[in-house]
Amino acid sequence: MNSYVLSLQDIDRSMSMFVGGKGAHLGELSRIGGIRVPEGFCITTEAYKTITGNNRELDSLLGELERLEAGAREKTGPGLEAGAREKIGAISAINAISAISAQVRRVIEGIPIPAEMAAEIAGCLARLGERDAFAVRSSATAEDLPTASFAGQQDTYLNIIGKEAILKYISTCLASLFTERAVIYRLQNGVDHRKVQLAVVVQKMVFPRAAGILFTADPVTANRKVLSIDASFGLGEALVSGLVNADSYKVRDGQIIDKKISTKKLAVYAVKDGGTEVLAIEAARQNSPALTDEQILALGRVGRTIEAHFGSPQDIEWCLADDTFYIVQSRPITTLFPIPESTDAENRVYVSVSHQQMMTDPIKPLGLSFFLLTTRAPMRRAGGRLFVDVTQRLASPAAREVLLAVMGQHDPLMKDALAAVIERGDFIQALPAEKEGPRPGESVVPSGGSPATPGSAATLGSAVPLGSAAPPGSAAPPRSAAPLGSAAPLQIDPAIVAELINNSEASLETLKKAIAEKSGPALFDFILEDIPRLQQILFDPKSSAVFMAAINASAWVNEMMYAWLGEKNAADTLSQSAPNNITSEMGLALLDVADVIRPYPEVIGYLQRVRGDDFLDGLVAVDGGKETRDAIAAYLDKYGMRCAGEIDITRTRWSERPATLVPLILSNIKNFGPHSGNRKLEQGRQEALKKEQALLDRLRQLPDGEEKARETQRMIGLIRDFIGYREYPKYGMVSRYFVYKQALLREAGQLVHAGVLHEKEDVYYLGFEEFREVVCSGRVDYRIIGKRKEEYAFYEKLTPPRVITSDGEIVAGAYKRGGLPAGAMAGLPVSAGVIEGRARVILNMEAAAGLEAGDILVTAFTDPSWTPAFVSIKSLVTEVGGLMTHGAVIAREYGLPAVVGVEKATQLIKDGQMIRVNGTEGYVEII
């Protein structure tokens, strides 16, 4: 047997480039003891290359496909702000793909199979039984991969009888490499058409009583310990094509834990002379189970055997004939989020750092290693993200109460998910009383860090009051009204904020001077020695006391104003234009930059043509250019270390790509008049002052009114003096990160100059210590870098869960409150007010420049880099967030009604729709 045709028994999983993903997996399956696979053979990719090679017409058509825009179909997808012209262009591109793909298939189908190849195929058919029926199945080299299944992109033909018919369908299968769906899928996944080949698997048909799909991990919850089986009568084609509602069975630890029997009215069966047909199932059988309990459990054991062999959860196609299960395919499940690493086999519960830090994208290895160096919390990696193990805190009733309070204010969906795990009672074992964690009111921060520990249960930028009865912005009434004066007086001098900021900035300047003299291994030693200084600043108890005083005061005001006056979320307005908020100041400062540029039409025209990041150099030749360059440079000097996803040190900063700011500056020039920054700031101050006076006046009319007003005024003072500082610790951290990064990139530049690295950014795929080793040795293993780049590309496609267990189960939370309008999307109210307007569904900061005055921003999440866009909008809706995350804080600072934590908001709300945002009660309506 030559290289054109191979028996399945001669194939293993290492041969995917030779027999495609399906062929390699079927060959490997046939080698597993106790697993039955229908007999067959594979026409290899060598045959495909021989048949399609040196065909000028085919080569020309492939060239046309390559010139079409990748992702044309994505432009009309949900949540993207495609304009009418873009949509028309996308449709036109899809039509072109369809037409060219059809021509490619016609050409391939018209190429005769060479006589030598046809003879080999005929010999295999004769050995298996030429008069028998066969399935002819496509097997591409870009399918059933560990990180992308590409399932269903090519064609399968069932019950094919006779050599001539089989040869015909082999050609049809080869041509199906260029179905429209396969071509578009490859374009969207960046796969080169010319580098993908097709093999064809020919197997003896099995005529089953029942067939279906088995997932060795629950496809809904991702629980690796739960098997999920779908089953229907006849061939599996009825289930795959959606003709029937299949039975659903779930198995765990050798026991059936759930069984749903569907009404199965139709089934697909083989026709005697070839092909298939859809037949009605007799009424008496329609509600009968497709499998008995014994068969369900037997199939479950088959699934676990296959999973153990391949070493990962599998998506398995099976059929049952003559009381024997035959496996006709097994592929890796590529949509599962990886389980955080663990050192034991105990049940564990992990919470996402990504959701706490408003950065759900994956982080590159160098970024992960820096965050791990910075944090004091015990972190676990998974899918390019970080998670905190909260198992011990859930096991302690006392610590659990505090943790749930923290999570409730940070992210109610996370709290609800943790509560669901606790309610089961069998996953987390309660600790004996003497081993319990902190008592209520004590910190639950892992490793004993401050509530601002990055990545801890109460993270940097997510600190919340512990034990307060009503969170800031809560729409719910307080559980009980705290007695007057219950909030202990806080003796914190407002001057401490200036002291903390000055200390941080002085330390940063010292760092800049000292690090400039370091290089080689000494640079890495210096950074390791300096990180404790960063931690000291981040976790300074005085720093925590400042913003916790404001946060607790906000909670007190919200609770007591609701109890005494029926006023909800009063602290939201009182927080507007608070001093020392470095993030809100950043947005207003970009308005000041626009003021500098506005008088110079030539500069505006120049900026409208900007493409590269060297535009600052060209400004000097334009009237007003020097003033513009100085203004932008000053802005970058103070804020240039910021960017989207800034907790990842590898992310490109504004100083590294200043052109990022140009569309925002031009938008500010278009949408605002001179001195808008100052006006917005003063307007917020006046709103806060007006709200304070109104509350105090109303309080004085109550019994004990003067005392109530006096205590309230003191609390308002704490809010005004200290809430702005809440944003500063993270600013200090990313400022320091940027200094480290610049020094490390200088070192990477030396490695490029020495020929060790191809480009500086390759070090992003190394950990800190690995980078140091490359500097010391002058050698780098590019296989590691290449593998990590592939892993990162795969991780980008995954959505991290808020809560995941050691079983891999993704535990989803839900808002549990009634009284919302029909069709409303529930979320967390974080900034009071009700507003209507045009929704702008924007998924990345680059597109935010298209926002116009009065738009409502709908996005997945925001971090400080989005703040310059907040000056244009009048309301905010996000999928991720909490009461004290950045979007919520800035929304309150700017007086923007906001609702966060709205599940699937960017999918349910379409760009351009009119919506109503109720930031007081916490919901969004499409109007």
Side-chain angles (χ1 to χ4, degrees):
M1 190 175 291
N2 64 26
S3 61
Y4 292 144
V5 184
L6 288 175
S7 168
L8 285 182
Q9 284 70 34
D10 296 327
I11 295 170
D12 62 37
R13 68 175 107 179
S14 69
M15 302 170 68
S16 61
M17 295 307 296
F18 207 50
V19 295
K22 187 181 282 95
H25 279 245
L26 285 169
E28 188 72 27
L29 283 165
S30 68
R31 295 166 171 260
I32 305 174
I35 303 300
R36 299 290 299 273
V37 176
E39 293 181 285
F41 58 93
C42 185
I43 296 94
T44 69
T45 56
E46 291 299 312
Y48 171 83
K49 286 186 275 189
T50 297
I51 291 170
T52 60
N54 300 317
N55 187 297
R56 291 186 177 180
E57 184 178 6
L58 181 59
D59 186 68
S60 174
L61 290 169
L62 291 180
E64 290 187 47
L65 275 181
E66 289 169 349
R67 287 189 289 273
L68 292 174
E69 178 185 0
R73 178 165 286 175
E74 289 183 352
K75 282 194 172 182
T76 56
L80 297 184
E81 53 278 0
R85 186 179 303 170
E86 288 176 313
K87 291 183 179 180
I88 292 171
I91 293 169
S92 176
I94 291 169
N95 290 338
I97 289 171
S98 179
I100 297 171
S101 299
Q103 293 180 62
V104 172
R105 294 196 301 275
R106 175 184 55 77
V107 170
I108 293 175
E109 289 177 11
I111 302 172
I113 294 176
E116 178 187 4
M117 198 180 298
E120 288 290 340
I121 294 169
C124 289
L125 291 172
R127 284 189 289 276
L128 293 172
E130 188 174 340
R131 295 186 179 182
D132 288 340
F134 290 83
V136 183
R137 314 174 67 193
S138 305
S139 178
T141 55
E143 70 178 2
D144 298 343
L145 304 176
T147 59
S149 73
F150 286 75
Q153 302 306 315
Q154 287 80 42
D155 291 342
T156 290
Y157 301 94
L158 302 177
N159 200 31
I160 310 302
I161 302 172
K163 182 184 74 173
E164 295 305 320
I166 289 171
L167 289 173
K168 171 190 170 186
Y169 280 105
I170 288 171
S171 291
T172 306
C173 273
L174 293 175
S176 74
L177 186 61
F178 291 93
T179 60
E180 180 184 342
R181 64 183 181 274
V183 168
I184 290 176
Y185 196 74
R186 288 197 295 273
L187 284 170
Q188 292 174 338
N189 284 274
V191 177
D192 189 336
H193 300 303
R194 296 181 189 271
K195 292 182 179 179
V196 178
Q197 284 91 41
L198 197 78
V200 179
V201 176
V202 180
Q203 286 179 283
K204 291 189 73 169
M205 276 291 294
V206 174
F207 301 101
R209 190 187 73 79
I213 298 170
L214 160 63
F215 294 96
T216 65
D218 190 315
V220 176
T221 68
N223 193 324
R224 271 55 159 196
K225 292 186 178 179
V226 176
L227 291 149
S228 179
I229 300 169
D230 287 352
S232 62
F233 294 124
L235 292 165
E237 184 65 20
L239 189 156
V240 173
S241 62
L243 283 175
V244 297
N245 292 321
D247 290 351
S248 175
Y249 317 118
K250 295 189 186 297
V251 178
R252 177 171 183 151
D253 298 329
Q255 293 186 328
I256 299 170
I257 60 173
D258 190 51
K259 186 192 299 184
K260 291 183 174 65
I261 309 302
S262 298
T263 301
K264 300 171 285 296
K265 296 183 178 181
L266 301 172
V268 176
Y269 293 104
V271 178
K272 180 179 179 180
D273 296 326
T276 60
E277 63 179 347
V278 179
L279 297 176
I281 297 174
E282 56 272 26
R285 290 183 64 216
Q286 288 180 3
N287 292 301
S288 299
L291 296 178
T292 65
D293 286 2
E294 292 77 9
Q295 289 168 339
I296 292 168
L297 295 176
L299 180 57
R301 290 191 291 272
V302 169
R304 289 300 183 211
T305 299
I306 294 172
E307 179 185 61
H309 182 84
F310 285 105
S312 65
Q314 297 288 300
D315 167 1
I316 299 167
E317 297 175 24
W318 57 270
C319 53
L320 176 66
D322 302 324
D323 293 322
T324 299
F325 283 106
Y326 290 87
I327 304 302
V328 294
Q329 181 56 304
S330 183
R331 59 177 67 89
I333 304 176
T334 61
T335 56
L336 298 175
F337 195 88
I339 301 174
E341 60 209 3
S342 179
T343 56
D344 56 41
E346 298 296 320
N347 288 348
R348 299 284 176 185
V349 180
Y350 306 97
V351 296
S352 166
V353 175
S354 298
H355 289 79
Q356 297 175 58
Q357 290 294 333
M358 299 297 100
M359 162 57 172
T360 59
D361 296 339
I363 301 175
K364 294 185 177 72
L366 187 62
L368 285 171
S369 65
F370 256 95
F371 201 78
L372 288 169
L373 286 170
T374 306
T375 184
R376 292 176 175 173
M379 296 286 175
R380 300 290 181 265
R381 303 186 192 210
R385 282 86 170 179
L386 292 169
F387 293 81
V388 176
D389 185 345
V390 295
T391 310
Q392 282 191 308
R393 284 148 194 84
L394 293 180
S396 161
R400 173 193 306 166
E401 180 182 344
V402 180
L403 175 64
L404 291 180
V406 169
M407 289 295 101
Q409 297 202 26
H410 168 73
D411 186 330
L413 294 176
M414 198 173 285
K415 174 189 175 181
D416 188 67
L418 292 174
V421 174
I422 295 168
E423 287 167 10
R424 295 176 187 175
D426 60 350
F427 191 80
I428 299 296
Q429 298 299 317
L431 290 172
E434 66 272 13
K435 293 185 178 180
E436 278 199 9
R439 294 182 297 277
E442 293 180 346
S443 173
V444 293
V445 175
S447 77
S450 78
T453 302
S456 65
T459 62
L460 178 66
S462 306
V464 294
L466 303 181
S468 61
S474 172
R479 291 191 294 266
S480 63
L484 186 63
S486 63
L490 294 168
Q491 304 301 323
I492 304 178
D493 187 342
I496 194 174
V497 174
E499 177 189 331
L500 289 167
I501 291 173
N502 290 338
N503 288 345
S504 177
E505 292 182 352
S507 176
L508 185 66
E509 289 305 312
T510 301
L511 169 65
K512 289 178 181 178
K513 293 175 182 176
I515 204 169
E517 302 172 0
K518 306 298 180 182
S519 63
L523 170 63
F524 293 82
D525 294 337
F526 175 82
I527 290 174
L528 287 177
E529 292 167 2
D530 187 74
I531 282 178
R533 175 58 181 154
L534 169 59
Q535 292 176 322
Q536 182 183 357
I537 294 171
L538 279 177
F539 311 136
D540 184 344
K542 290 191 293 184
S543 178
S544 300
V546 166
F547 57 73
M548 287 305 298
I551 292 169
N552 279 317
S554 296
W556 187 93
V557 166
N558 278 339
E559 180 179 359
M560 304 318 298
M561 295 310 100
Y562 186 87
W564 291 335
L565 302 175
E567 177 100 18
K568 292 182 178 180
N569 311 319
D572 292 357
T573 303
L574 297 169
S575 299
Q576 289 187 37
S577 298
N580 298 310
N581 188 316
I582 190 72
T583 306
S584 64
E585 290 169 4
M586 178 174 67
L588 300 178
L590 203 61
L591 287 171
D592 296 339
V593 174
D595 285 348
V596 173
I597 299 171
R598 190 176 285 105
Y600 301 108
E602 287 185 48
V603 171
I604 295 172
Y606 175 85
L607 293 178
Q608 288 170 339
R609 299 188 298 271
V610 162
R611 293 293 178 267
D613 290 308
D614 57 353
F615 73 95
L616 290 173
D617 296 333
L619 274 169
V620 291
V622 181
D623 181 34
K626 181 181 182 303
E627 292 82 352
T628 297
R629 187 179 63 176
D630 291 347
I632 294 175
Y635 185 87
L636 292 173
D637 185 58
K638 188 166 186 179
Y639 306 109
M641 77 297 292
R642 313 223 79 155
C643 67
E646 60 193 9
I647 65 168
D648 180 357
I649 198 172
T650 71
R651 287 294 189 107
T652 303
R653 311 284 145 170
W654 290 344
S655 286
E656 296 170 312
R657 189 174 295 165
T660 303
L661 296 173
V662 170
L664 292 167
I665 294 170
L666 291 173
S667 177
N668 285 345
I669 293 170
K670 172 185 174 184
N671 293 324
F672 299 98
H675 312 299
S676 291
N678 289 335
R679 279 201 300 274
K680 281 182 172 289
L681 186 65
E682 184 57 30
Q683 181 182 347
R685 286 198 192 102
Q686 293 302 321
E687 289 288 337
L689 183 62
K690 181 179 174 183
K691 170 63 73 172
E692 177 181 6
Q693 194 59 52
L695 292 174
L696 297 179
D697 288 346
R698 292 174 63 192
L699 287 171
R700 291 187 178 108
Q701 307 305 312
L702 302 176
D704 299 320
E706 286 298 332
E707 187 178 356
K708 290 174 180 176
R710 185 166 54 252
E711 183 68 357
T712 300
Q713 190 168 28
R714 185 176 73 82
M715 289 296 180
I716 292 173
L718 291 173
I719 295 172
R720 296 297 300 172
D721 286 341
F722 298 136
I723 196 68
Y725 177 76
R726 149 70 181 65
E727 290 289 302
Y728 196 86
K730 189 174 185 181
Y731 171 81
M733 184 181 83
V734 297
S735 296
R736 218 166 185 92
Y737 268 18
F738 189 42
V739 176
Y740 298 153
K741 179 183 182 181
Q742 289 174 305
L744 289 171
L745 283 181
R746 287 195 297 271
E747 203 64 32
Q750 293 296 321
L751 293 173
V752 172
H753 183 73
V756 177
L757 292 177
H758 299 163
E759 53 186 32
K760 292 189 296 184
E761 290 75 14
D762 286 343
V763 298
Y764 294 165
Y765 298 92
L766 300 173
F768 183 81
E769 291 298 334
E770 291 172 326
F771 187 2
R772 180 214 288 266
E773 181 57 31
V774 172
V775 170
C776 292
S777 67
R779 295 189 303 273
V780 65
D781 187 345
Y782 259 96
R783 290 173 300 178
I784 293 176
I785 290 175
K787 180 174 180 290
R788 289 181 182 169
K789 286 182 177 181
E790 291 177 1
E791 289 174 344
Y792 184 81
F794 170 55
Y795 295 153
E796 284 185 301
K797 301 174 185 177
L798 300 177
T799 300
R802 283 178 165 84
V803 175
I804 186 171
T805 73
S806 50
D807 289 347
E809 180 184 4
I810 294 172
V811 187
Y815 292 106
K816 297 176 181 176
R817 65 177 193 264
L820 298 184
M825 291 166 270
L828 178 68
V830 295
S831 185
V834 180
I835 202 86
E836 294 180 0
R838 181 181 68 158
R840 294 303 320 279
V841 182
I842 294 177
L843 300 182
N844 57 72
M845 181 59 188
E846 286 72 19
L851 288 166
E852 296 183 3
D855 284 342
I856 297 175
L857 173 60
V858 180
T859 190
F861 59 88
T862 66
D863 63 8
S865 72
W866 287 75
T867 305
F870 279 33
V871 298
S872 296
I873 63 175
K874 64 179 179 182
S875 184
L876 173 70
V877 177
T878 69
E879 296 177 338
V880 177
L883 288 162
M884 296 309 299
T885 48
H886 299 281
V889 171
I890 304 306
R892 292 193 289 270
E893 281 272 337
Y894 286 176
L896 310 174
V899 180
V900 303
V902 181
E903 288 278 82
K904 299 182 179 178
T906 60
Q907 299 173 42
L908 298 173
I909 301 171
K910 307 302 180 187
D911 189 60
Q913 280 183 323
M914 293 297 292
I915 64 173
R916 179 184 299 116
V917 179
N918 190 318
T920 304
E921 302 291 348
Y923 61 85
V924 181
E925 297 174 278
I926 297 172
I927 57 175

